[in-house]
Amino acid sequence: MRKSHSAHRLLPPVFSRVGAACLVVFIAVPVLYLIALALSPNSTVALGGTDFQHWTTSNFTSMWSAAAVAQGLLNSVIIAGTSAALAVVLGVCAAYPLARLRFRARKPLLYSLLGSQSLPQLSLLLPLYIMLAGLQGILGVHLIGSYPAIIAVYMTFGLPLATVVCFTYLRSMPTDLEEAALTDGCTRFGALRRVVAPLMAPAMVVSLVLAFLVGWNDVLFASALQNQTIAVTLEQFGVAQGEGFGAQPLYGDLMAAALVSAVPVVVLYLAFQRHLVHGLAAGALSGT
Amino acid sequence: MSTGIGRARARRREPAVWLAAPGALFFVVLVGIPLLIVIWTSLLNINASDIAHWATAPFGAMANYADGLMKPSVTGVSVLDSVWISIKFSVLSTVFGTPIAFFAALSVHHAFRGRALLRSLYLVPYVIPGFVIALLAQLAFQDHTGAVDHLLAALHLANVGTYWLIGGNAFWAMTFTEVWEVWPFIYLLLLAGLQSIPKEQLEAATVDGADWWPRLRYIVIPQLKGIYALAFALSTLFHFGNFTLPYVMFGNTRPSSVVTLPINIYYIAFQGFGFGIASATAVFNVALLAVPASVYLWMARRARAREARQERVRQARVQEAGA
């Protein structure tokens, strides 16, 4: 019993323990540094330090007026949330026929979805920008800087992601239940809605979280398309502090706001960790 | 490849096929058409500016293209130089991240108390948003006031005032941050690979008296090679496209050592307004990445085939056992 237990040990015990401890320190120090800076007054952070004796939560109240943090967070929630929800709905719908039916466009579609994930973002940003600018001229409405435009743009990445994750999940799901529903006279749409969709819940959660993070973490598209998401707001706030020429930079506020925008993401990730890790690995390995 | 129910009903037209239509349409509009446009703009501008040349000397356009890649852009760095910076950045980040990832994956494979917690902790750098890490790095690497400057000085490794955010040092500050941030990606894939190694192999080897090193050397490493190659390709690909870190970490005083390809294209397009050159560079970028991307697709297909093979063997065994 003891033998089979230790059979999975792949490193000498001491090395494993000491190494893991070092690695935890390596991970923890920057994170603690971030927290310490967020808890220090701006004047202390500007001088390059943190003072354990004068920790204060004042940054967390002053940051809202130092930069448009609240608006940035709201914009990010709306943009990332909507594009993720749309991506998941369309992704589930597309994944089902791709996984269960045979049709001529199946393979080309599947391969383009997979291939698009390794496209450099800028190769899509430039033409999307040109398209939006062109449409803007034709329609006479503002698209660059609007919610619909950036939501659609984030779907460029969210949609293939959601489709691939749901596709991989469906392929590993037995077909017995659907077949039973179909023999019992259910239409295919009925089977999809009543039988498949509930079983797909974990895959949908994974794609929802991953597609949400695409929008939440992005800086490139939001700054090119002039959307004040939280990422762009903080990036510009940071630049402004650096160029403050003599004025005391509000780095304490900046770090507090950065912490506030990171915590929901980390919590989300760790809460769904098991599913997410599985989904990530599946996404990466789903070369078909 | 089996398609489940599809096989039984292949002949009948399935209206459910149309479920894929909205997704496919969005995909064509958001990815397909833009790709055609970017290729078109990359050619159009070059032809328009040099049409006579193009008519008389077919290879003139190529020289023009090359000129756009060779001359310094608005960032002061030529496209070819930033390709080189990006290659260095992405390959070095993957290479430096590899030993950490290997150690981390191997250290949480056996069961022990607190393993789940340790696995979660290992993921933390990866799940913190990239812009947050870049902002923190900007402060941490600042000269005189940054923590890194003081830490290295305290360890007598460098002087206070080493200036990590300008000149050649900036490249290393950026690479270090990238390694810290994304080694867990390789770790995740390696962990998935470790878990797919049949338990019996390690247990049988242990019964035969193999210690950790022979188990690692003769069972684990050979079976992790494939997935590591995949992780290497994917990780390098991701590092190559990282825009957030160099953009956010260095603010508006970006030293030329951190002008990676994405940064350069962004500035050519949105500050120099050279959409033609930027498009050409983006197309060049796609072509450049097509090499690792096709290696990735090929590896992934092989991994899948291997999995299917193992699955067939397992099922055959189960059937034998049942018979």
Side-chain angles (χ1 to χ4, degrees):
Chain A
M1 191 61 218
R2 188 157 165 73
K3 273 239 146 119
S4 84
H5 190 69
S6 63
H8 299 282
R9 201 175 250 299
L10 297 171
L11 296 169
V14 178
F15 179 58
S16 183
R17 261 176 231 145
V18 173
C22 291
L23 196 49
V24 168
V25 170
F26 176 67
I27 294 167
V29 165
V31 176
L32 294 177
Y33 183 54
L34 170 64
I35 296 171
L37 290 182
L39 288 172
S40 306
N42 286 317
S43 53
T44 320
V45 181
L47 292 175
T50 168
D51 187 348
F52 296 97
Q53 283 166 356
H54 296 98
W55 272 6
T56 157
T57 52
S58 65
N59 290 331
F60 290 93
T61 45
S62 61
M63 68 183 194
W64 306 100
S65 52
V69 176
Q71 187 62 45
L73 287 170
L74 182 68
N75 285 346
S76 278
V77 167
I78 293 173
I79 292 168
T82 316
S83 87
L86 282 173
V88 171
V89 171
L90 293 183
V92 171
C93 289
Y96 183 77
L98 282 173
R100 292 286 197 255
L101 302 170
R102 236 181 224 189
F103 52 101
R104 208 172 294 158
R106 185 177 170 273
K107 279 219 163 159
L109 188 56
L110 205 53
Y111 280 118
S112 347
L113 283 170
L114 285 170
S116 77
Q117 289 186 307
S118 49
L119 276 178
Q121 297 187 320
L122 270 151
S123 67
L124 291 174
L125 170 65
L126 299 179
L128 283 169
Y129 188 88
I130 294 172
M131 277 167 79
L132 287 171
L135 267 178
Q136 216 169 239
I138 295 169
L139 300 175
V141 286
H142 256 290
L143 287 174
I144 290 171
S146 72
Y147 282 145
I150 191 88
I151 287 169
V153 165
Y154 284 152
M155 281 179 64
T156 319
F157 300 97
L159 180 62
L161 196 74
T163 315
V164 169
V165 169
C166 292
F167 168 82
T168 318
Y169 190 81
L170 264 173
R171 289 300 294 254
S172 67
M173 217 168 81
T175 57
D176 314 13
L177 278 172
E178 286 160 70
E179 299 208 38
L182 290 174
T183 4
D184 286 350
C186 215
T187 63
R188 194 173 281 274
F189 291 105
L192 179 58
R193 198 161 57 84
R194 295 210 184 84
V195 180
V196 181
L199 290 173
M200 289 273 295
M204 290 201 254
V205 171
V206 170
S207 9
L208 192 70
V209 174
L210 291 179
F212 181 84
L213 293 181
V214 167
W216 190 271
N217 294 344
D218 169 72
V219 172
L220 172 61
F221 288 84
S223 32
L225 297 176
Q226 300 152 26
N227 285 91
Q228 292 293 322
T229 59
I230 186 66
V232 170
T233 306
L234 293 187
E235 181 265 321
Q236 290 173 351
F237 184 52
V239 169
Q241 302 318 303
E243 289 175 347
F245 303 112
Q248 176 189 296
L250 305 175
Y251 284 135
D253 288 325
L254 178 65
M255 287 298 107
L259 192 61
V260 165
S261 58
V263 166
V265 173
V266 175
V267 169
L268 204 62
Y269 233 114
L270 296 183
F272 294 106
Q273 187 188 345
R274 188 176 289 262
H275 294 301
L276 283 173
V277 167
H278 212 77
L280 268 183
L285 295 175
S286 61
T288 318
Chain B
M1 183 185 301
S2 92
T3 43
I5 315 177
R7 214 177 338 165
R9 296 166 173 249
R11 292 286 142 77
R12 234 179 48 209
R13 232 180 223 303
E14 278 290 354
V17 165
W18 292 103
L19 276 174
L25 184 72
F26 252 87
F27 186 71
V28 168
V29 171
L30 290 172
V31 180
I33 294 178
L35 275 184
L36 292 179
I37 291 183
V38 79
I39 294 170
W40 180 63
T41 46
S42 80
L43 293 174
L44 177 89
N45 286 25
I46 287 157
N47 283 352
S49 64
D50 211 11
I51 197 135
H53 201 70
W54 169 254
T56 50
F59 293 107
M62 285 311 288
N64 219 353
Y65 207 103
D67 219 31
L69 301 182
M70 236 83 102
K71 266 195 287 194
S73 71
V74 282
T75 55
V77 180
S78 77
V79 169
L80 280 186
D81 284 340
S82 36
V83 167
W84 175 234
I85 293 172
S86 278
I87 290 177
K88 264 198 310 186
F89 172 63
S90 54
V91 172
L92 285 178
S93 302
T94 306
V95 168
F96 291 148
T98 295
I100 310 176
F102 258 100
F103 171 82
L106 296 176
S107 72
V108 292
H109 187 57
H110 64 285
F112 59 90
R113 270 186 65 181
R115 179 171 74 165
L117 179 69
L118 197 55
R119 280 187 180 173
S120 305
L121 272 178
Y122 283 169
L123 281 181
V124 165
Y126 189 60
V127 305
I128 299 177
F131 67 89
V132 170
I133 292 171
L135 287 170
L136 178 67
Q138 189 190 1
L139 292 192
F141 281 102
Q142 226 144 50
D143 50 278
H144 296 294
T145 59
V148 174
D149 221 21
H150 285 284
L151 185 69
L152 292 181
L155 295 171
H156 298 288
L157 291 172
N159 296 322
V160 172
T162 307
Y163 291 96
W164 286 104
L165 294 176
I166 55 174
N169 286 342
F171 176 82
W172 297 105
M174 174 173 79
T175 307
F176 177 87
T177 311
E178 181 80 350
V179 170
W180 186 83
E181 187 181 342
V182 283
W183 66 264
F185 175 76
I186 308 177
Y187 150 80
L188 272 179
L189 286 184
L190 288 178
L191 198 59
L194 268 179
Q195 282 164 353
S196 73
I197 295 176
K199 277 188 181 150
E200 308 86 54
Q201 292 185 1
L202 288 173
E203 281 157 15
T206 315
V207 170
D208 288 347
D211 203 4
W212 65 273
W213 172 245
R215 289 198 296 256
L216 187 62
R217 172 73 187 77
Y218 296 106
I219 299 174
V220 174
I221 291 183
Q223 295 189 63
L224 279 186
K225 261 190 206 149
I227 201 147
Y228 176 66
L230 188 68
F232 188 94
L234 271 181
S235 158
T236 308
L237 209 68
F238 289 165
H239 294 306
F240 199 93
N242 188 339
F243 172 82
T244 305
L245 183 63
Y247 185 74
V248 178
M249 184 170 167
F250 298 96
N252 274 353
T253 51
R254 220 157 277 117
S256 53
S257 68
V258 300
V259 179
T260 57
L261 189 56
I263 291 286
N264 212 346
I265 301 178
Y266 182 85
Y267 275 89
I268 295 173
F270 294 101
Q271 246 174 37
F273 296 104
F275 260 81
I277 297 280
S279 304
T281 311
V283 172
F284 176 65
N285 191 355
V286 175
L288 203 67
L289 290 189
V291 180
S294 44
V295 170
Y296 159 57
L297 282 177
W298 178 71
M299 305 274 331
R301 205 170 336 163
R302 245 184 38 163
R304 215 159 225 258
R306 195 175 45 233
E307 232 171 69
R309 213 163 42 235
Q310 283 171 353
E311 185 55 32
R312 273 202 300 278
V313 171
R314 213 167 295 150
Q315 273 173 1
R317 260 193 225 139
V318 170
Q319 270 168 8
E320 256 171 54

